[in-house]
């Protein structure tokens, strides 16, 4: 197995008391698979991704990538955040070159960076500053930057969450093409059911308080998914039903909390 | 009407009023000279090169003091940002010293270094170092955690993370620090020169005052003001605005 997450637990210490955020997470991801993580806000999706990225440590359990335990960040894992996180003091091209500079010459890095910028259709924006391009373009630069390291595993935390519907659906196409072309393994966090149905081979549906895996749904449909709209509808309803009980749970807890004050 | 036009009219009126008042009320030049006398004195100062000489001497001290202050400020700022213990101890002292105008150190400085340039430079360094330190510290502490996280996923850590991400990310604060350091240094320098040895603008001002040459006193005051405005407006505010816009921090 490519990525294995075994009996993972994560607690945060909040004001002296420990709060369980992720409970008993088990997940295996095959190489070349597109896996979405879907769940209500606060269920620990970002935390899970951050643990796989090596930015946060797990409280219990182990995570292995190709048989090697994950202990910290590594160049075989690239990450795209919800905000583009581009460095404003660098140009678009320099941002994409950033992960490459420690390991190759400037010239090679520039060539490679240009290649990835073309892949996200931004080949003519190399000399712009991040603040001179739109949010959707910034996010594409962030994707190019993550791809430039040629990571085996690409981690994406709601990368299109802040974008409008049209831009988002264009980026879905670009991402799907990149996925098919580069054969990367992608772990993709989202709270949009439509997005996950459009893009993933499997959907991990998470519940909250504490974050657990409710169900893992296989989507064995050819790409692009627009051909299988009808079949996907039944999946959408199934996921909606799963998430509804979770959201009810949160609402109920909030109301109890409000009543007890 | 454009602000520049309004401003020109305002200053012309101000000088006319001043000139008129001095003539109408026959004010003694030892109390308040007419603006025409001030401009003549300013012109004389430049044509006989005494003011140019003073400017050179003042600027030499200023740049020397600023250079030392910036170096110290950056080093101390990094130390305070990186070491919690240093921040809690030395940091509190630096914050406390910030509320002391650096000129009050002059008597001590004169005892330590003598009535000379070194004492003045010491005052300049002290004033500028403290603001620079505080701004560098704040800049480093306020680097967005997302930048650090992103860089870590790209295999940056340790010294490289610091020089390639933390430092450039804190440049907006460093620029503000530089601007304030310059302003503090300029004020400290003038005060120091006024109370200590020459040559220099501040010293010449006191010298003129001792001889009752109020036209020269005001001429030098105007010069001090002009230099302050020119450097701040034409240089620092522009650089600051540019940096803020590029770093995505500008509000417009
Ligand atoms: N550094 C931290 N310290 C303490 N608690 C944290 C920390 N990071 C996250 N949490 C808590 O962990 C829980 C999960 O947070 P997380 O950001 O992983 O949620 P999420 O599923 O990504 O939500 P969203 O969809 O809103 O982004 C939240 O209750 C949050 O308060
Ligand atoms: Mg999140």
């Amino acid at each position: 197995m490519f990525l294995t997450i075994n009996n993972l637990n994560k607690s945060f210490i909040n004001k002296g008391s420990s709060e369980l955020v992720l409970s008993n997470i088990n997940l295996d991801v095959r190489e070349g698979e597109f896996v979405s993580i879907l769940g209500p806000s606060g269920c620990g999706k970002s935390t899970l991704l951050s643990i796989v990225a090596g930015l946060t440590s797990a409280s219990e359990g182990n995570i292995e990538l190709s048989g090697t335990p994950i202990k910290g960040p590594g160049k075989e894992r690239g990450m795209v955040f919800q905000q583009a996180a581009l460095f404003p003091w660098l140009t678009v091209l320099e941002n994409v070159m950033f992960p490459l500079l420690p390991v190759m010459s400037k010239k090679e890095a520039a060539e490679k960076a240009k290649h990835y910028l073309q892949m996200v259709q931004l080949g003519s924006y190399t000399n712009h500053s991040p603040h001179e391009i739109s949010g959707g373009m910034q996010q594409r630069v962030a994707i190019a930057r993550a791809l430039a390291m040629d990571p085996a595993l690409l981690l994406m935390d709601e990368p299109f969450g802040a974008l409008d519907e049209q831009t988002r659906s264009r980026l879905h196409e670009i991402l799907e093409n990149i996925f098919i072309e580069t054969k990367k393994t992608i772990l993709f966090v989202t709270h949009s059911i439509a997005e996950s149905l459009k893009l993933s081979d499997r959907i991990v549906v998470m519940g909250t308080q504490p974050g657990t895996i409710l169900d893992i749904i296989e989507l064995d449909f050819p790409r692009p998914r627009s051909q299988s709209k009808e079949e996907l509808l039944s999946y959408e309803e199934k996921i909606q039903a799963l998430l509804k009980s979770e959201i009810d749970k949160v609402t109920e807890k909030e109301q109890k909390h409000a009543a007890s004050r | 009407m454009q602000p520049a036009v309004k401003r020109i009219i305002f200053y012309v009126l101000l000088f006319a009023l001043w000139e008129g008042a001095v003539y109408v009320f026959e004010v003694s030049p030892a109390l308040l000279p007419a603006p025409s006398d001030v401009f003549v004195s300013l012109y004389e100062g430049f044509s006989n090169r005494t003011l140019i000489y003073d400017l050179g001497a003042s600027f030499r001290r200023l740049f020397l003091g600023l250079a030392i202050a910036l170096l110290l400020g950056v080093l101390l700022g990094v130390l305070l940002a990186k070491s919690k213990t240093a921040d809690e101890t030395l940091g509190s002292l630096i914050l406390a010293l910030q509320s002391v105008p650096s000129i009050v150190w002059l008597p001590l400085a004169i005892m330590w270094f003598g009535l000379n340039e070194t004492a003045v430079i010491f005052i300049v360094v002290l004033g500028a170092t403290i603001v620079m330190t505080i701004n560098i510290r704040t800049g480093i502490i306020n680097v967005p955690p997302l930048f650090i996280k992103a860089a870590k996923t790209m295999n940056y850590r340790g010294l490289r993370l610091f020089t390639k991400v933390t430092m450039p990310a804190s440049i907006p604060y460093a620029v503000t620090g530089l601007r304030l350091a310059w302003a503090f240094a300029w004020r400290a320098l003038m005060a120091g020169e006024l109370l200590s040895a020459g040559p220099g603008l501040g010293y010449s001002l006191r010298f003129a005052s001792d001889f009752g040459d109020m036209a020269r006193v005001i001429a030098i005051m105007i010069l001090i003001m002009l230099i302050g405005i020119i450097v701040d407006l034409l240089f620092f505010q522009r650089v600051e605005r540019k940096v803020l816009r590029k770093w995505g921090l500008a509000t417009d």
Side-chain angles (χ1 to χ4, degrees), chain B residues 167-229:
Chain B
M167 293 228 296
S170 58
I171 280 187
Y173 284 91
V175 171
T176 305
L178 187 62
R179 180 159 78 90
L180 292 174
W182 140 263
F184 275 65
W186 184 236
R187 284 160 180 70
L189 178 71
M190 287 307 122
E193 285 182 353
L194 204 62
L195 299 173
S196 120
L201 276 184
Y203 177 75
S204 288
L205 194 151
R206 198 191 66 195
F207 191 79
S209 139
D210 287 348
F211 283 83
D213 184 359
M214 286 304 143
R216 180 52 67 89
V217 168
I218 295 178
I220 293 176
M221 281 168 62
I222 289 176
L223 205 56
I224 292 172
M225 185 183 72
L226 283 180
I227 290 167
I229 291 172

Side-chain angles (χ1 to χ4, degrees), chain A residues 131-150:
Chain A
H131 77 274
E132 293 168 340
I133 59 176
S134 73
M137 289 155 101
Q138 289 178 9
Q139 209 48 274
R140 279 188 273 162
V141 176
I143 293 172
R145 181 173 71 174
L147 286 172
M149 299 194 296
D150 201 15

Side-chain angles (χ1 to χ4, degrees), chain A residues 4-213:
Chain A
T4 39
I5 302 175
N6 251 326
N7 298 323
L8 173 84
N9 287 318
K10 174 70 187 176
S11 321
F12 282 112
I13 310 291
N14 263 344
K15 297 190 195 103
S17 72
S18 154
E19 183 195 344
L20 188 62
V21 169
L22 290 170
S23 164
N24 198 29
I25 303 290
N26 287 289
L27 179 64
D28 289 336
V29 178
R30 289 184 294 271
E31 189 152 20
E33 203 178 10
F34 195 123
V35 175
S36 285
I37 301 172
L38 187 68
S41 181
C43 72
K45 304 181 295 292
S46 296
T47 308
L48 178 59
L49 215 62
S50 172
I51 291 172
V52 177
L55 293 172
T56 307
S57 57
S59 303
E60 276 169 77
N62 55 47
I63 318 171
E64 291 180 359
L65 190 67
S66 310
T68 322
I70 288 174
K71 290 224 176 63
K75 62 179 185 308
E76 72 291 341
R77 281 159 288 145
M79 178 115 173
V80 180
F81 297 86
Q82 183 160 2
Q83 290 99 20
L86 301 179
F87 301 130
W89 57 92
L90 300 176
T91 63
V92 163
L93 183 70
E94 286 164 344
N95 264 287
V96 182
M97 288 164 66
F98 186 83
L100 302 173
L101 285 178
V103 289
M104 60 181 74
S105 76
K106 233 180 175 159
K107 205 168 150 241
E108 277 177 291
E111 297 270 307
K112 217 168 176 178
K114 275 182 196 151
H115 168 74
Y116 285 103
L117 278 171
Q118 274 156 13
M119 198 180 266
V120 296
Q121 304 174 3
L122 284 176
S124 53
Y125 288 88
T126 49
N127 290 322
H128 282 62
S129 273
H131 77 274
E132 293 168 340
I133 59 176
S134 73
M137 289 155 101
Q138 289 178 9
Q139 209 48 274
R140 279 188 273 162
V141 176
I143 293 172
R145 181 173 71 174
L147 286 172
M149 299 194 296
D150 201 15
L153 177 61
L154 189 57
L155 305 167
M156 306 180 89
D157 189 359
E158 298 192 36
F160 312 137
L163 305 176
D164 65 86
E165 202 48 51
Q166 281 88 348
T167 313
R168 190 193 276 228
S169 104
R170 225 185 117 215
L171 290 188
H172 287 157
E173 272 166 42
I174 291 176
L175 180 62
E176 193 165 38
N177 287 336
I178 289 171
F179 172 67
I180 293 165
E181 209 175 301
T182 61
K183 301 190 175 63
K184 301 256 175 255
T185 311
I186 300 182
L187 204 54
F188 186 93
V189 166
T190 177
H191 57 231
S192 155
I193 300 176
E195 189 167 74
S196 64
L197 288 171
K198 203 163 156 189
L199 295 170
S200 2
D201 297 319
R202 279 193 299 160
I203 302 176
V204 177
V205 183
M206 285 184 67
T208 188
Q209 290 171 356
T212 48
I213 293 181

Side-chain angles (χ1 to χ4, degrees), chain B residues 75-77 79-80 83-97 133:
Chain B
L75 291 178
L76 283 172
L79 177 71
L80 295 190
S83 157
K84 204 162 182 299
T85 308
D87 196 32
E88 286 162 352
T89 52
L90 183 62
S92 69
L93 177 66
I94 287 178
L95 274 180
L97 286 180
T133 304

Side-chain angles (χ1 to χ4, degrees), chain B:
Chain B
M1 213 189 300
Q2 289 210 328
V5 180
K6 284 186 202 166
R7 231 169 267 150
I8 289 170
I9 294 174
F10 169 74
Y11 284 110
V12 168
L13 281 177
L14 185 70
F15 282 122
L17 214 67
W18 176 4
E19 185 88 35
V22 168
Y23 281 106
V24 170
F25 300 110
E26 294 178 347
V27 182
S28 147
L31 285 180
L32 184 68
S36 51
D37 294 339
V38 171
F39 288 119
V40 168
S41 175
L42 200 58
Y43 175 78
E44 273 175 0
F46 275 103
S47 59
N48 67 20
R49 291 171 182 265
T50 50
L51 281 183
I52 295 176
Y53 182 60
D54 287 337
L55 270 176
S58 288
F59 271 124
R60 209 183 65 80
R61 282 181 204 142
L62 182 73
F63 286 129
L64 196 62
L66 258 183
I68 298 170
L70 297 186
L71 190 72
L72 280 177
V74 170
L75 291 178
L76 283 172
V78 170
L79 177 71
L80 295 190
K82 288 286 159 189
S83 157
K84 204 162 182 299
T85 308
D87 196 32
E88 286 162 352
T89 52
L90 183 62
S92 69
L93 177 66
I94 287 178
L95 274 180
L97 286 180
Q98 192 198 15
S99 53
V100 182
S102 63
I103 190 64
V104 304
W105 287 84
L106 192 67
L108 274 180
I110 290 173
M111 293 307 289
W112 295 340
F113 305 109
L115 191 67
N116 57 29
E117 271 207 323
T118 317
V120 178
I121 292 174
F122 176 78
I123 300 301
V124 171
V125 169
L126 203 70
T129 303
I130 289 174
V131 274
M132 195 63 190
T133 304
I134 291 171
N135 274 276
I136 293 286
R137 172 190 170 277
T138 314
I140 292 176
I141 287 175
N142 283 324
V143 171
L146 187 61
F147 285 173
I148 303 293
K149 279 194 207 164
K152 278 186 176 164
T153 67
M154 291 182 274
N155 243 348
Y156 279 66
R157 54 179 70 96
L159 189 63
R160 187 189 275 151
L161 180 66
F162 185 76
T163 55
K164 297 291 179 188
V165 182
T166 309
M167 293 228 296
S170 58
I171 280 187
Y173 284 91
V175 171
T176 305
L178 187 62
R179 180 159 78 90
L180 292 174
W182 140 263
F184 275 65
W186 184 236
R187 284 160 180 70
L189 178 71
M190 287 307 122
E193 285 182 353
L194 204 62
L195 299 173
S196 120
L201 276 184
Y203 177 75
S204 288
L205 194 151
R206 198 191 66 195
F207 191 79
S209 139
D210 287 348
F211 283 83
D213 184 359
M214 286 304 143
R216 180 52 67 89
V217 168
I218 295 178
I220 293 176
M221 281 168 62
I222 289 176
L223 205 56
I224 292 172
M225 185 183 72
L226 283 180
I227 290 167
I229 291 172
I230 288 170
V231 175
D232 196 56
L233 234 59
L234 293 189
F235 183 67
F236 283 116
Q237 291 200 12
R238 274 189 193 189
V239 172
E240 207 172 19
R241 209 174 307 139
K242 232 182 208 162
V243 166
L244 286 183
R245 184 165 310 148
K246 180 148 187 181
W247 263 243
L249 299 167
T251 41
D252 57 301

